[in-house]
Every structure is written in C-alpha cells, then in structure tokens.
Amino acid sequence: RPEGMRLEVDDHGVGMPEQGGGGLGLIAMRERAEILQGKLEWLRPPQGGTLVILEIPATQAAVLRSSGSVEPR
C-alpha cells in the first residue's frame, strides 16, 4: 500500500496547559488537516513538552508533492 505523509513536531518546553491554550492555532491546524483528509493530534508526553502529529493519506500527500508545497526526503 502506498504510504501517506507523517509529520511530528516535538517541543521539549513547558508544554501546553491541560485545558488547551485558548487560542485558535491548533483548531485551525486540525481543520486544515481535515481538508486534506488527514488527522492532527497533539499530546502531552509524561516527560513534558508537546508532541504534534499530522498524518495525511497518500493521495493527498501526492497532491502536495506535485504542487511543490512539500519536498520529499
């Protein structure tokens, strides 16, 4: 099966508050992921910080690559 795209951003800082940050940034990121038929999640690892994971299916990843928005490794 062709693979999609997975992006992980790991921040080793203080992390996000348990109730969320109160802003619209993560909400907007999740909406954009859904437009691409993907999903976005953010986690608070036990060691602290924040982990944001974006997964996009192969069909949408191919569209991004062909548009020049994303360069393959």
Side-chain angles (χ1 to χ4, degrees):
R1 103 181 195 270
E3 298 213 12
M5 183 180 348
R6 179 179 172 102
L7 171 70
E8 293 187 12
V9 178
D10 192 5
D11 173 11
H12 299 285
V14 180
M16 295 173 40
E18 285 189 40
Q19 300 299 318
L24 297 176
L26 291 173
I27 294 170
M29 289 169 58
R30 178 171 276 158
E31 289 173 353
R32 286 177 175 86
E34 289 173 358
I35 289 170
L36 294 170
Q37 301 169 355
K39 69 177 186 172
L40 179 88
E41 62 181 321
W42 55 91
L43 310 167
R44 298 178 65 224
Q47 67 273 18
T50 304
L51 176 62
V52 180
I53 302 170
L54 170 66
E55 293 180 315
I56 299 172
T59 54
Q60 296 301 321
V63 169
L64 290 173
R65 286 186 190 107
S66 68
S67 71
S69 299
V70 174
E71 292 183 20
R73 281 186 169 185

